[in-house]
Amino acid sequence: KREFDGVVIANEGFTRETAEAAIARGDASAVAFGRLIIANPDLVERFRTHAPLNEARTESFYTHEAAGYTDYPSL
């Protein structure tokens, strides 16, 4: 980000804490969460309240079924 004069969106493997640290250091403008948002449709609220996260069931990702997208428990 320091070498590029634009918005940088980081992703892959971030936790709430590491995402906040990357933004605070200036390494990224924002952080995207793919797997975490699929498994936690209420991810923003979970991050805000420090609630535990659902484990992602990657075997059900990118299928034609609703399972794995609509059946994760919310807070």
Side-chain angles (χ1 to χ4, degrees):
K1 179 163 174 29
R2 289 176 190 89
E3 301 292 324
F4 174 68
D5 189 31
V7 174
V8 173
I9 301 172
N11 70 343
E12 192 63 41
F14 283 89
T15 65
R16 176 182 183 253
E17 294 78 13
T18 60
E20 288 176 346
I23 293 168
R25 282 192 311 270
D27 294 341
S29 306
V31 174
F33 296 94
R35 293 180 195 123
L36 283 182
I37 199 74
I38 292 172
N40 299 276
D42 54 356
L43 184 63
V44 172
E45 181 65 13
R46 288 175 186 265
F47 277 179
R48 189 181 71 73
T49 61
H50 299 271
L53 301 176
N54 294 322
E55 284 290 322
R57 298 185 310 270
T58 57
E59 69 278 359
S60 65
F61 283 8
Y62 312 111
T63 67
H64 298 289
E65 305 298 323
Y69 292 98
T70 62
D71 60 340
Y72 285 100
S74 295
L75 291 176

